[in-house]
Amino acid sequence: RSNQDTTIPGFIRIVERVRVEDTNFDPGYEPDWAVISTVKRDQVREHPPWSFSLPLSELYSLRRSRFSLGRNFLVFTSRGGHPLPPLHFHRGGTRELLRAMQRYIILAPSPVDGRLFLAYPHDSGALSQSFDELHLFDDGSSDLVSRFIQDPYATTFGGFSKVTNFFRGALRPPDSPFHPRGPQDHHGPPTADDEPGFELITCGVELGPKPDVTRGQPLDKWEEFLDPEGRVKDPQQIKELVFRGGITPSLRKDVWKFLLGFYPWNSTVKEREDILRMKTDEYFRMKVQWKSVSEEQEMRNSLLRGYRSLIERDVSRTDRHNTFFSGNDNPGLTLLNDVLMTYCMFNFDLGYVQGMSDLLAPLLFVTQNEVESFWCLTGFMEMVHQNFEESQEAMKQQLLQLSLLMKALDPELLDYLDTQDSGSLCFCFRWLLIWFKREFSFEDILSLWEVLWTRLPCENFHLLMAASILESQRGEFIGSDHDFNTILKHINELTMKLDLQTVLRGAEANYLQLACCKELPVKVQEVIGLYVPPSPDDETSPESESHETQQLLSQSQAGWVHGLTLLTPNPDSVVSMMQQES
């Protein structure tokens, strides 16, 4: 096929010239990549066909490129300016290769091209010069999360090159426990424009097996948990029972008001009556505000007019399969519209954003009450309002946190998604935005949300759920020829096909597996709520510095794992490609 590219399978190795042993790059499957040849196969030289060898000291750069085939490639360029044949990694493995190479050389991202990495020798002078040239330490105005969404590969590799295991002590971000702030920091919190830093999660962290998790029975008693005056005697016990098994449908209307902050846990029956009276008056005062706006006034209020139009459009298509909202002239639709319009009066800054109707519908269905559903919505929005902000920074941050979790839980799957332009996990956006509302049945959502409202075992349990779903699909992805579009299509087709209890068990198992890891990276600890910042005395103590030094030395001596064993770094190391024998 002379008009089409041909692929030649092979393997790549890093070899020490001064030693008999060599280091094979082997992520566990063959062939991992292929050389892409634009020459017909009958023109290939016989001895040895398409093999190459290059001393790492002669490597000038490597570039991650994308050809017309829509696939991603690595292209090595020598210091003489000659590019080697492009390498296509069919099923991942690029990160392992880069990490293996970084034991011998430094790979630093170009300041003008995020897909280009420049090679430097392991020499302190060259390292200092490369940092000066690349401005790694004065990039204070960069937006890491934004760049991650726009180009996950360049941003991720850029973060990795800034904070590698080998140079972690020198390049640790300022808010790291082993990098105390200097006097010029004024001990203040980081600003929004500061780059938050990126911690490399190495494949050397052993998580251990996933524990077996069982779910419990729904909470089916309520009165026995109240004292004589109506106070909840042990709120934590209630939350644990709800997290373990949910709530019996007949009790949801009562318990949800506590989970969503409508009633304080320590309120008495009399106090709750007063709260309901006060909240009812407040709700209708806000409702009158938009109800009393005349058509002439609204013509001069584009913001209110826009909210009304968007709400009417969304209400007409929200959960219409449910009898509470089905049919025309349904009073449930009127209540849905009125509560959302009143919320615009309650929160002028946020107003109404598409997706909020999905959050309100189950609340209105369970409470069957306009006022109670409104105040439950305000409590729910306290948890997720950042998802609907125009900047979308919270959504980007959650996607980044999900990527961190996946890197720890299933690095092979994340690496595969990376190679298919899906490493940013943007196809999970809808999951996180409205807490899986479109992925499960209406009844399942009632059970899921009450579990998430407990905020147990951590506030980001919904991210662990997303990771559990992705892990359940690894058999579909790994080894397949899916590209970005087919991955997105497959994820969207999971709607209504997921088993909620299986996903919940998987999410809790993920949490327990991570929590039991003694060497869990700090960034992952922060995501699942386990990180406790050390005291200032601990940060600057000689013992902490000694511990960090020993940790670096032990990691350096252990070398990189995940199917790769490296020899002592040597400037004469070479990277070579050998065509796989047929």
Side-chain angles (χ1 to χ4, degrees):
R1 295 178 297 177
S2 58
N3 294 329
Q4 298 185 18
D5 290 349
T6 60
T7 62
I8 304 174
F11 60 91
I12 194 166
R13 61 173 54 174
I14 298 175
V15 182
E16 285 279 1
R17 283 182 174 174
V18 297
R19 299 284 294 273
V20 176
E21 301 91 346
D22 58 22
T23 299
N24 286 327
F25 167 66
D26 181 11
Y29 44 81
E30 289 186 354
D32 180 52
W33 55 269
V35 176
I36 302 303
S37 169
T38 56
V39 182
K40 291 185 294 183
R41 185 175 291 274
D42 56 13
Q43 296 178 351
V44 176
R45 293 181 293 115
E46 291 296 330
H47 182 71
W50 292 107
S51 297
F52 68 78
S53 177
L54 175 70
L56 286 179
S57 59
E58 293 299 316
L59 178 64
Y60 175 73
S61 68
L62 64 88
R63 175 186 293 277
R64 183 183 175 280
S65 303
R66 183 178 303 157
F67 284 28
S68 59
L69 297 176
R71 298 181 295 183
N72 298 301
F73 304 84
L74 285 181
V75 179
F76 294 88
T77 302
S78 69
R79 294 197 177 276
H82 304 294
L84 300 178
L87 310 179
H88 171 45
F89 289 74
H90 293 277
R91 297 171 53 196
T94 55
R95 288 186 179 182
E96 283 72 16
L97 175 60
L98 294 179
R99 289 170 183 163
M101 294 176 65
Q102 282 181 328
R103 183 64 183 270
Y104 299 86
I105 59 175
I106 299 167
L107 294 175
S110 167
V112 295
D113 186 348
R115 294 183 179 271
L116 179 66
F117 295 83
L118 306 178
Y120 296 91
H122 272 169
D123 174 81
S124 58
L127 175 63
S128 176
Q129 180 183 2
S130 67
F131 285 161
D132 293 339
E133 291 176 355
L134 295 176
H135 308 290
L136 293 183
F137 292 114
D138 59 1
D139 188 16
S141 61
S142 58
D143 181 354
L144 178 64
V145 178
S146 229
R147 288 187 282 115
F148 184 87
I149 295 299
Q150 294 171 4
D151 192 344
Y153 296 94
T155 307
T156 303
F157 285 140
F160 281 179
S161 67
K162 289 185 182 181
V163 190
T164 64
N165 257 10
F166 195 80
F167 296 100
R168 183 170 56 180
L171 305 184
R172 186 173 295 280
D175 57 351
S176 164
F178 296 103
H179 195 305
R181 293 178 179 269
Q184 67 275 16
D185 295 321
H186 305 292
H187 302 283
T191 63
D193 291 333
D194 289 337
E195 182 174 295
F198 199 95
E199 178 177 354
L200 174 62
I201 303 174
T202 71
C203 299
V205 175
E206 293 292 339
L207 293 182
K210 287 188 187 295
D212 293 329
V213 173
T214 57
R215 301 287 297 163
Q217 295 298 315
L219 176 69
D220 57 359
K221 295 180 176 60
W222 179 243
E223 295 298 329
E224 68 181 47
F225 292 99
L226 306 179
D227 68 11
E229 293 183 324
R231 298 182 184 88
V232 178
K233 292 183 287 188
D234 191 346
Q236 187 63 26
Q237 183 184 8
I238 294 292
K239 292 179 183 180
E240 291 173 357
L241 290 171
V242 173
F243 172 78
R244 184 62 52 202
I247 306 170
T248 299
S250 61
L251 295 180
R252 278 182 176 144
K253 183 175 181 178
D254 294 322
V255 183
W256 279 21
K257 297 173 191 175
F258 289 89
L259 291 172
L260 292 171
F262 182 57
Y263 291 141
W265 291 96
N266 62 350
S267 60
T268 65
V269 173
K270 177 62 170 62
E271 290 170 341
R272 291 197 284 273
E273 292 174 353
D274 295 337
I275 289 173
L276 178 59
R277 188 181 309 108
M278 178 187 65
K279 292 290 189 181
T280 301
D281 292 343
E282 187 176 356
Y283 172 79
F284 283 107
R285 280 198 302 271
M286 290 185 289
K287 183 175 181 178
V288 167
Q289 291 176 0
W290 65 267
K291 278 283 192 179
S292 61
V293 174
S294 66
E295 292 185 6
E296 184 178 357
Q297 286 178 300
E298 189 168 318
M299 288 297 295
R300 295 189 293 272
N301 190 332
S302 59
L303 187 61
L304 181 63
R305 193 166 64 249
Y307 287 153
R308 186 189 296 275
S309 175
L310 188 58
I311 288 172
E312 289 177 352
R313 185 182 67 182
D314 283 358
V315 163
S316 65
R317 57 189 183 187
T318 299
D319 290 321
R320 297 305 300 274
H321 60 279
N322 188 296
T323 55
F324 191 81
F325 305 105
S326 63
N328 298 322
D329 301 323
N330 190 315
L333 297 179
T334 302
L335 291 177
L336 199 62
N337 179 88
D338 290 358
V339 171
L340 292 172
M341 284 295 298
T342 305
Y343 186 83
C344 294
M345 299 293 103
F346 173 79
N347 191 340
F348 283 102
D349 291 336
L350 183 61
Y352 177 80
V353 181
Q354 188 174 14
M356 290 168 58
S357 61
D358 283 287
L359 303 186
L360 173 61
L363 304 177
L364 191 56
F365 172 80
V366 168
T367 62
Q368 306 276 306
N369 182 282
E370 180 178 1
V371 174
E372 293 176 353
S373 66
F374 172 82
W375 290 110
C376 286
L377 176 64
T378 63
F380 196 179
M381 288 300 295
E382 281 294 313
M383 302 179 190
V384 299
H385 70 91
Q386 299 94 335
N387 292 4
F388 298 93
E389 292 175 353
E390 186 176 1
S391 68
Q392 292 293 294
E393 288 303 314
M395 291 301 301
K396 297 172 186 176
Q397 179 67 17
Q398 288 178 73
L399 290 172
L400 181 56
Q401 290 174 331
L402 177 57
S403 179
L404 288 170
L405 291 177
M406 289 303 300
K407 183 59 186 175
L409 292 165
D410 196 337
E412 182 186 1
L413 176 57
L414 181 62
D415 193 58
Y416 169 80
L417 294 174
D418 265 344
T419 64
Q420 305 304 319
D421 282 342
S422 302
S424 66
L425 307 179
C426 59
F427 48 79
C428 302
F429 187 93
R430 186 178 70 184
W431 296 358
L432 310 183
L433 178 69
I434 52 177
W435 279 14
F436 307 96
K437 174 62 162 51
R438 307 277 179 87
E439 319 313 317
F440 295 96
S441 67
F442 193 87
E443 183 59 36
D444 277 348
I445 283 298
L446 304 183
S447 300
L448 170 60
W449 283 1
E450 59 198 16
V451 169
L452 295 177
W453 291 336
T454 66
R455 315 306 273 166
L456 296 176
C458 64
E459 292 188 357
N460 282 326
F461 190 69
H462 65 296
L463 299 182
L464 292 163
M465 282 194 57
S468 174
I469 295 174
L470 291 176
E471 286 182 290
S472 71
Q473 302 303 307
R474 80 183 318 273
E476 173 69 27
F477 292 142
I478 299 295
S480 71
D481 58 352
H482 289 329
D483 58 12
F484 174 82
N485 290 328
T486 54
I487 289 175
L488 179 62
K489 180 175 182 292
H490 177 77
I491 291 296
N492 287 336
E493 289 176 349
L494 293 177
T495 299
M496 303 301 165
K497 297 179 181 178
L498 297 168
D499 180 72
L500 176 61
Q501 297 304 316
T502 300
V503 174
L504 286 173
R505 285 194 297 269
E508 186 178 355
N510 283 341
Y511 175 83
L512 296 174
Q513 185 184 31
L514 293 171
C516 290
C517 178
K518 296 180 179 180
E519 298 180 355
L520 195 65
V522 171
K523 291 294 183 183
V524 181
Q525 293 181 40
E526 292 174 347
V527 173
I528 61 176
L530 295 180
Y531 177 65
V532 179
S535 64
D537 292 338
D538 293 337
E539 292 180 1
T540 58
S541 66
E543 290 79 10
S544 64
E545 295 178 2
S546 175
H547 172 73
E548 174 69 359
T549 301
Q550 292 300 321
Q551 190 177 30
L552 288 173
L553 289 174
S554 63
Q555 290 172 347
S556 177
Q557 292 167 358
W560 303 96
V561 297
H562 207 238
L564 186 64
T565 303
L566 292 180
L567 304 176
T568 304
N570 187 293
D572 292 327
S573 303
V574 297
V575 57
S576 64
M577 186 282 290
M578 299 294 294
Q579 180 185 343
Q580 186 179 27
E581 296 180 1
S582 58

